[in-house]
Amino acid sequence: MTATLPRMLTASARLLSLLSLLQSRPHWAGGELAERMAIHPRTLRRDIDRLRQLGYPIHASTGIAGGYAFRPGRALPPLLLDDEEALAAAVALRTAVTGTISGIEQTAITALVKIEQAMPPRLRPRLAALRSALLPANPIGPQVNAGRLTTLACACRDQVQLRFDYTDREGISSARQVEPQGVVHADRRWYLVAWDTGRNDWRTFRIDRIASAPVVGAHFAPRTGPGEGDLRQWVARALSLGQHHDLARIILHAPLSVMRQQIPASAGELEAVDDRRCLLRCAANPLGTVVYWLLALGLDFEVLGPPALHQAMREAGERISRSLARSEPSEASAGTNST
């Protein structure tokens, strides 16, 4: 057994070297590749077959220009990155995570966790230097440190407790100990969904309000997450309904399928009334925002409640009527202009 182990390690290292070379350029001549690997052509063919069995799509061609080429396959196999490629990928993913590239933040954080976990220690100082030199242009929404995001995402994956200081929307600080479930990007912000051990319930934490570096604790037993496992939907509902005592209820004169394209889940909850109308439930405060939003939709609607929203709509209507009356030219001035 002791004599076999070094040969096994040597063969594995050779396969990794071969795979790295195949990914470095579109085509390799068979003889050149065998010479570069310092192995016999028969050994090269056996190694190519082993890589194919592992799922790597390697195409072989014959003739004068025959050789091997790495081709796209049906599934994405593991990729080998050199130092510079790994750094470039990590920096690009961090840029996406912080929201500069919209729509891929959620996927970028999982990819970033994988790359940074596998990154050798010698590259970490260089990555830190690059990260400190890069600042997003025209950031939208609160900025979150990508390093903190990866720490939280790793804790969710590894199922380890976290302790941190948190400042809520009222500006009140508290120490929290949680069992993290997942990180979610919604409404241009990052949120941590976790079981709060002190409150014995699920909580959603805005990550930009975590006031201290999270401290990793002991492992915890996994539990079924909220929202039937759909954390994005659960966070969206918590943002639109769960944090507010007063809910507005409005019937929109448009089909549910149309309004779902205009109203994000984080803004309110939609429910079909019939084929032509749907019911919107959303936070009633601030009232001015709801009034503006309803008028901006450009469709008919009926406000069912609360009474404060009825009053705000009446006041808005009166202001609009007064503004129109002031804007309309008088008969006298109209006659003067016509002569």
Side-chain angles (χ1 to χ4, degrees):
M1 180 65 181
T2 55
T4 305
L5 185 58
R7 288 198 297 269
M8 292 174 59
L9 293 176
T10 301
S12 298
R14 190 176 67 243
L15 286 178
L16 290 174
S17 298
L18 175 58
L19 181 59
S20 180
L21 286 174
L22 287 168
Q23 292 177 350
S24 66
R25 70 190 202 191
H27 182 269
W28 282 89
E32 181 185 5
L33 186 57
E35 182 179 354
R36 182 71 174 269
M37 292 289 300
I39 58 177
H40 193 276
R42 285 197 303 271
T43 304
L44 174 63
R45 288 193 291 271
R46 287 197 298 268
D47 287 348
I48 292 292
D49 288 338
R50 291 191 185 98
L51 289 176
R52 287 171 175 163
Q53 292 172 5
L54 293 173
Y56 293 97
I58 302 171
H59 176 74
S61 58
T62 58
I64 298 177
Y68 301 99
F70 198 92
R71 296 285 187 252
R74 296 182 179 180
L76 182 66
L79 301 177
L80 289 178
L81 303 177
D82 61 25
D83 288 359
E84 301 302 323
E85 291 169 340
L87 286 169
V91 169
L93 287 170
R94 281 177 175 268
T95 302
V97 162
T98 52
T100 305
I101 305 173
S102 178
I104 63 171
E105 302 90 350
Q106 197 74 37
T107 306
I109 186 62
T110 59
L112 181 60
V113 167
K114 293 178 181 179
I115 286 184
E116 292 203 354
Q117 182 189 29
M119 186 172 289
R122 67 176 184 277
L123 295 182
R124 297 185 186 279
R126 294 179 60 188
L127 178 60
L130 286 170
R131 183 169 64 245
S132 63
L134 294 175
L135 296 175
N138 301 322
I140 300 176
Q143 293 300 292
V144 175
N145 181 274
R148 177 162 296 181
L149 275 175
T150 54
T151 298
L152 297 175
C154 286
C156 296
R157 181 199 58 195
D158 299 338
Q159 296 177 346
V160 291
Q161 291 183 342
L162 293 172
R163 296 191 308 276
F164 52 78
D165 296 328
Y166 186 73
T167 304
D168 65 17
R169 63 180 182 273
E170 305 296 334
I172 301 174
S173 299
S174 60
R176 303 296 184 97
Q177 180 168 306
V178 302
E179 298 175 357
Q181 184 77 10
V183 291
V184 175
H185 189 265
D187 198 21
R188 298 177 179 176
R189 292 176 173 86
W190 280 100
Y191 296 88
L192 171 68
V193 179
W195 178 265
D196 192 318
T197 59
R199 288 146 180 84
N200 201 35
D201 197 4
W202 291 104
R203 288 292 188 269
T204 300
F205 301 94
R206 260 181 56 174
I207 294 179
D208 60 291
R209 289 178 177 163
I210 295 179
S212 64
V215 177
V216 175
H219 286 273
F220 62 86
R223 66 178 77 234
T224 303
E228 299 180 354
D230 190 341
L231 295 186
R232 294 188 189 184
Q233 186 64 30
W234 190 80
V235 169
R237 180 176 176 82
L239 294 178
S240 62
L241 303 178
Q243 299 178 355
H244 305 278
H245 299 293
D246 296 328
L247 293 181
R249 294 176 297 112
I250 305 120
I251 292 181
L252 305 176
H253 288 226
L256 176 63
S257 59
V258 173
M259 297 317 301
R260 277 182 172 165
Q261 297 178 5
Q262 300 184 38
I263 300 177
S266 60
E269 186 178 62
L270 290 166
E271 176 185 340
V273 174
D274 51 38
D275 292 342
R276 298 183 178 181
R277 300 178 301 165
C278 60
L279 174 65
L280 169 65
R281 297 186 185 91
C282 64
N285 291 308
L287 290 172
T289 301
V290 179
V291 172
Y292 170 80
W293 189 31
L294 290 173
L295 294 175
L297 286 174
L299 49 81
D300 292 340
F301 56 86
E302 305 165 39
V303 175
L304 304 181
L309 183 55
H310 279 281
Q311 181 62 28
M313 293 299 301
R314 280 193 292 268
E315 293 174 356
E318 292 170 358
R319 285 195 299 272
I320 292 173
S321 297
R322 289 194 298 269
S323 299
L324 289 175
R326 296 190 189 100
S327 302
E328 292 176 355
S330 62
E331 294 182 3
S333 60
T336 302
N337 292 333
S338 62
T339 55

